[in-house]
């Protein structure tokens, strides 16, 4: 657990932000990178809600990181349903399953209005003692693990957020469109780098070039050994009208997709002063953990009745041979930096806000925080 005795005063933490807003032509965005510090999914969500509702400077934020599904670093909070929150992980298992029968490799996260009895396969989840969280935002139900790539953006009603300098209207569709415009260059840049790398390696032949990867992806039929068809030499990147199947990131209904497959789950929380939009991108996931989710009654038309495995796509499949999962966060930061003046922050800075407003993050979680641990219904 972090000590709060060494935390510096809030006024010293925030002073650089004020300076940036007066000296930069770009609107400031505070950047919080939570990678590698051991925060749990519960703690991440608690921090996000704190910053959305109680940042004293009402700033815009970009937050990234991967998180522990169950183990908390700061909060003293665990469900009574967990048989043993400290059981050992089976190190021979690629996804970190417990060797004792309890599944600590993942957590189920419900939207604030989600009905657990309809969205969660309760018998399977209860049998494996899976951790369930109800977050403060809307949206559907997701399973997260160590390979879930969390991105969060907090916008304010009076803050220019678009590249044209306009404020984003605090409505779900407008927020989704804005966020898709931010993420699209990330994947476009990756696609271009893949093509450039293949050129440099001398692997391009006349006509089409095929990039092979394992598993299902991009709406292609078949199984292992599917391929991404890259365009011929000197051909421009697709604008959505060509037929080649390099992964093309798109916003479809309320989902981020490659073709017919969903690559990340989204949710928003809209308050009087602005909005929060967060996404869990799927770098990888254990297919067996999808058994904890029911197919929701309300779902996008393009999904139909497809199972989770047939509906979802892992970023690792098309991109894992070229990039690491941490490269995704780095690329998101690069793209965000083209529009915003990014000001670095830290976990300690955020804990100062919790301390000065509520006494500690624990007091915030125990009191007004809407993110909660769910118990199984008997």
């Amino acid at each position: 657990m972090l000590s709060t005795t060494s935390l510096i005063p809030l006024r010293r933490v925030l002073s650089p932000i004020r300076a940036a807003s007066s000296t930069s032509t770009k609107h400031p965005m505070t950047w919080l990178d939570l990678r590698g510090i051991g925060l749990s999914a519960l703690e991440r969500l608690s921090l996000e809600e704190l910053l959305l509702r109680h940042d004293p400077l009402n700033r815009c934020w970009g937050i990234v990181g991967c998180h522990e599904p169950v183990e908390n670093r700061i909060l003293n909070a665990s469900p009574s349903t967990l048989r043993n929150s400290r059981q050992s992980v089976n190190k021979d298992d690629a996804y970190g399953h417990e060797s004792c029968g309890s599944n600590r490799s993942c957590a189920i996260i419900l939207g604030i209005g989600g009905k657990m009895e309809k969205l969660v396969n309760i018998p399977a989840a209860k049998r494996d003692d899976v951790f369930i969280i109800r977050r403060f935002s809307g949206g559907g139900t997701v399973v997260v693990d160590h390979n879930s790539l969390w991105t969060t953006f907090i916008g304010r009603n009076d803050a220019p957020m678009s590249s044209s300098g306009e404020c984003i209207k605090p409505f779900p569709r407008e927020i989704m469109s804005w966020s898709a415009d931010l993420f699209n260059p990330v994947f476009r840049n990756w696609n271009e780098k893949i093509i450039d790398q293949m050129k440099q390696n001398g692997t391009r032949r006349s006509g089409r070039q095929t990039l092979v990867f394992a598993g299902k992806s991009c709406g292609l039929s078949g199984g292992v050994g599917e391929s991404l068809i890259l365009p011929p030499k000197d051909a421009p990147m697709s604008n959505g009208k060509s037929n080649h199947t390099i992964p093309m990131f798109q916003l479809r209904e309320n989902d981020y997709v490659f073709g017919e497959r969903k690559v990340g789950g989204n949710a928003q929380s809209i308050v009087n002063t602005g909005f929060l939009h967060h996404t869990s991108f799927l770098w990888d996931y254990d297919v067996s953990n999808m058994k904890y989710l029911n197919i929701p009654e309300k779902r996008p038309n393009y999904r139909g009745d497809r199972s989770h495995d047939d509906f979802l796509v892992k970023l690792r499949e098309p991109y894992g041979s070229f990039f690491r999962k941490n490269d995704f966060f780095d690329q998101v930061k690069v793209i965000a930096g083209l529009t915003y003046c990014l000001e670095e922050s830290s976990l300690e800075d955020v804990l100062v806000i919790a301390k000065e407003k509520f006494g500690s993050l624990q007091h915030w979680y125990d009191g007004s925080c809407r993110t909660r641990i769910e118990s199984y219904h008997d």
Side-chain angles (χ1 to χ4, degrees), residues 60-220:
C60 299
W61 289 81
I63 311 170
V64 298
C66 296
H67 299 282
E68 294 293 324
V70 176
E71 292 292 332
N72 295 325
R73 176 184 174 182
I74 301 171
L75 292 178
N76 180 17
S78 61
S80 58
T81 54
L82 290 184
R83 289 188 284 270
N84 186 347
S85 63
R86 298 276 181 187
Q87 296 181 40
S88 61
V89 172
N90 180 1
K91 298 184 183 301
D92 294 328
D93 187 285
Y95 295 97
H97 287 118
E98 301 286 343
S99 56
C100 57
S102 295
N103 189 350
R104 299 292 179 270
S105 72
C106 67
I108 300 168
I109 303 181
L110 292 157
I112 193 168
K115 296 181 179 179
M116 188 166 72
E117 62 275 14
K118 291 187 176 182
L119 298 169
V120 177
N121 181 347
I122 293 178
K126 189 173 183 178
R127 180 189 65 237
D128 294 344
D129 205 22
V130 180
F131 192 40
I132 301 181
I133 300 170
R134 185 176 298 278
R135 65 178 181 267
F136 64 95
S137 60
T141 306
V142 296
V143 172
V144 298
D145 58 22
H146 294 95
N147 288 303
S148 301
L149 308 182
W150 295 53
T151 64
T152 301
F153 290 95
I154 296 175
R156 305 299 179 180
N157 294 340
D158 58 352
M161 294 288 289
S162 68
S163 57
S164 61
E166 298 177 350
C167 299
I168 306 301
K169 295 179 181 180
F171 301 106
R173 188 64 190 179
E174 283 78 1
I175 296 170
M176 287 294 302
S177 297
W178 166 80
S179 66
D181 288 342
L182 189 151
F183 288 121
N184 187 57
V186 172
F187 296 103
R188 186 173 65 242
N189 287 355
W190 271 12
N191 293 341
E192 291 172 347
K193 288 179 180 180
I194 289 174
I195 294 174
D196 289 343
Q197 182 173 334
M198 295 185 74
K199 289 180 180 178
Q200 293 170 7
N201 292 341
T203 56
R204 183 175 294 283
R205 299 182 292 270
S206 60
R208 311 194 295 182
Q209 179 66 33
T210 301
L211 171 65
V212 177
F213 64 98
K216 301 175 181 178
S217 185
C218 304
L220 303 177

Side-chain angles (χ1 to χ4, degrees), residues 138-139 168-180 251 253-256 266-271 274-278:
I168 306 301
K169 295 179 181 180
F171 301 106
R173 188 64 190 179
E174 283 78 1
I175 296 170
M176 287 294 302
S177 297
W178 166 80
S179 66
L251 173 62
E253 299 186 38
N254 290 318
D255 292 337
Y256 297 146
N266 302 289
Q268 293 90 33
S269 179
I270 299 172
V271 297
F275 67 86
L276 177 145
H277 173 83
H278 49 192

Side-chain angles (χ1 to χ4, degrees), residues 173 176-177 179-181 218-219 248-266 299-304 306 311:
R173 188 64 190 179
M176 287 294 302
S177 297
S179 66
D181 288 342
C218 304
M248 300 307 296
F249 174 83
Q250 293 178 309
L251 173 62
R252 186 164 183 179
E253 299 186 38
N254 290 318
D255 292 337
Y256 297 146
V257 300
F258 290 160
E260 295 290 322
R261 296 181 186 274
K262 182 176 179 178
V263 73
N266 302 289
R299 52 189 181 270
N301 292 330
Y302 77 94
R303 174 174 182 166
R306 285 183 290 167
F311 178 54

Side-chain angles (χ1 to χ4, degrees), residues 32 34 41-54 61 63-64 67 135-137 150-154 156 267 276-279 350 361 364 371:
L32 180 60
L34 296 175
L42 182 70
E43 291 166 334
R44 165 69 182 249
L45 291 166
S46 300
L47 288 175
E48 289 181 0
E49 186 180 0
L50 173 73
L51 293 174
L52 172 65
R53 296 180 179 276
H54 299 292
W61 289 81
I63 311 170
V64 298
H67 299 282
R135 65 178 181 267
F136 64 95
S137 60
W150 295 53
T151 64
T152 301
F153 290 95
I154 296 175
R156 305 299 179 180
L276 177 145
H277 173 83
H278 49 192
T279 304
V350 178
L361 187 69
W364 155 246
T371 297

